[in-house]
């Protein structure tokens, strides 16, 4: 991973994002900023709008309103443009080519970045795109796998545990050398070593002045890793501040314990 940013520089600025699905306003006038070397935690109960927000930022969904800037550039719509501008993500439900090896899945991240096309990430198309690879590519895959402590790279992605699949997604995302990495529930289904591996990657990204948006239901884990936490409820930001202040806030109590529909944090 390269380091072309300065500590504290605003890397990502998403302003006034809004998304309605039928009668549901999933994201309602949300503004998010991530600085170099910052981990922004995004928490909130089921249906709060966390994944939709990640989708809007990364271009997987088109927002009804709002702008996304990376550095001093306003980004056009579309996942390919966003990826080419330095945004990479993992998915709540891992999206890997399950019939390909760990090695090839990881390679897809940097190959897609080279081709500036997320098409390379789509199932059948990938077989042609990833062959043949160069030796340097294999070395890069090995380095990315080592960053997340993945071994036995010849296994099929479909044979991995959920936690291992999440590590492959993280390694694949790192291959695109993102300025900001958005992790959507990376700890769900991960065992102790998976949690450790992902936490370590977050710490490395932070040290290298990349930005991270970390979404997870495990608010204790998020609070332990984040510099700042944004609490979402029903599509709106109801609290923003330090992890400690957020955990102790009335809003946190209300959102997780105070309403009939809210669920307690894991
Ligand atoms: N594609 C969609 N079509 C219709 N409604 C949607 C769609 N995606 C999300 N929603 C709705 O938008 C709201 C926010 O959903 P979202 O998945 O973003 O929340 P979340 O905080 O990520 O929840 P969870 O923690 O359960 O994943 C919910 O009411 C959800 O039902």
């Amino acid at each position: 991973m390269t380091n072309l940013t300065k500590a504290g520089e605003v890397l990502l600025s998403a302003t006034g994002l809004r998304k309605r699905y039928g009668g549901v306003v999933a994201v309602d006038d949300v503004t998010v900023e991530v600085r170099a070397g910052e981990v922004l935690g995004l928490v909130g109960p089921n249906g709060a709008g966390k994944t939709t927000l990640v989708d809007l930022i990364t271009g997987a969904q088109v927002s009804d309103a709002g702008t996304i800037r990376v550095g001093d550039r306003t980004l056009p719509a579309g996942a390919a443009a966003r990826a080419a501008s330095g945004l990479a993500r993992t998915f709540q439900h891992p999206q890997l080519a399950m019939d390909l090896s760990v090695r090839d899945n990881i390679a897809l991240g940097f190959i897609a970045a080279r081709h500036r096309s997320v098409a390379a990430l789509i199932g059948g198309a990938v077989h042609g795109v990833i062959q043949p690879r160069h030796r340097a590519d294999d070395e890069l895959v090995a380095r990315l796998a080592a960053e997340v402590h993945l071994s036995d790279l010849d296994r099929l992605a479909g044979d991995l545990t959920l936690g291992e699949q999440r590590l492959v997604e993280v390694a694949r995302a790192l291959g695109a050398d993102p300025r900001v990495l958005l992790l959507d529930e990376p700890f769900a289904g991960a065992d102790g070593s998976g949690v450790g591996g992902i936490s370590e990657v977050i710490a490395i990204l932070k040290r290298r002045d990349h930005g991270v948006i970390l979404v997870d239901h495990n608010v204790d884990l998020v609070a332990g890793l984040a510099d700042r936490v944004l609490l979402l409820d029903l599509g709106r930001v109801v609290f923003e501040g330090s992890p400690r202040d957020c955990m102790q806030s009335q809003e946190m109590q209300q959102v997780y314990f105070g309403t009939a529909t809210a669920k307690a944090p894991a």
Side-chain angles (χ1 to χ4, degrees), residues 21 24 26 45-52 61 92 185 217:
Y21 291 114
V24 176
N46 293 115
K50 305 179 297 294
T51 293
T52 303
Q61 295 283 343
Q92 185 174 7
E185 300 204 21
H217 276 286

Side-chain angles (χ1 to χ4, degrees), residues 167-183:
L167 291 173
V168 176
E169 273 208 324
V170 172
R172 183 182 66 185
L174 293 180
D177 196 19
R179 299 186 84 190
V180 179
L181 177 62
L182 296 94
L183 299 166

Side-chain angles (χ1 to χ4, degrees), residues 17-28 47-65 89 92 184 234-235:
L17 293 182
R18 185 177 162 87
K19 181 71 179 178
R20 175 189 282 275
Y21 291 114
V24 176
V25 181
V27 168
D28 191 2
K50 305 179 297 294
T51 293
T52 303
L53 184 56
V54 170
D55 285 347
L56 297 182
I57 292 171
T58 55
Q61 295 283 343
V62 179
S63 59
D64 300 330
R89 71 174 294 181
Q92 185 174 7
D184 195 355
L234 299 173

Side-chain angles (χ1 to χ4, degrees), residues 86-121:
L87 302 180
R89 71 174 294 181
T90 65
F91 294 85
Q92 185 174 7
H93 306 290
Q95 295 190 13
L96 299 172
M98 295 299 176
D99 59 339
L100 292 184
S101 67
V102 170
R103 185 188 315 282
D104 287 347
N105 269 284
I106 293 175
L108 285 176
F110 56 79
I111 290 170
R114 276 179 206 158
H115 289 254
R116 298 194 161 224
S117 167
V118 288
L121 290 174

Side-chain angles (χ1 to χ4, degrees), residues 109-240:
F110 56 79
I111 290 170
R114 276 179 206 158
H115 289 254
R116 298 194 161 224
S117 167
V118 288
L121 290 174
I122 298 172
V126 301
H127 295 272
V129 175
I130 60 170
Q131 304 288 342
R133 276 204 318 270
H134 301 296
R135 193 170 152 192
D137 288 351
D138 284 336
E139 285 167 5
L140 180 52
V141 167
R143 185 170 66 70
L144 293 166
E147 297 240 29
V148 297
H149 302 295
L150 265 174
S151 52
D152 199 356
L153 307 187
D154 292 324
R155 285 179 295 166
L156 293 184
D159 291 338
L160 304 180
T161 64
L162 178 59
E164 288 171 322
Q165 289 178 353
R166 292 196 187 287
L167 291 173
V168 176
E169 273 208 324
V170 172
R172 183 182 66 185
L174 293 180
D177 196 19
R179 299 186 84 190
V180 179
L181 177 62
L182 296 94
L183 299 166
D184 195 355
E185 300 204 21
F187 299 119
D191 62 9
S193 74
V195 169
I198 289 166
S199 303
E200 211 176 292
V201 167
I202 291 172
I204 290 171
L205 287 168
K206 206 173 142 51
R207 278 202 300 277
R208 294 178 185 170
D209 281 334
H210 295 253
V212 176
I213 293 184
L214 173 60
V215 176
D216 209 88
H217 276 286
N218 189 327
V219 291
D220 289 325
L221 261 177
V222 173
L225 291 163
D227 299 293
R228 200 157 47 86
V229 176
L230 224 138
L231 173 62
L232 279 181
D233 189 32
L234 299 173
R236 296 192 73 93
V237 177
V238 294
F239 188 91
E240 185 174 356

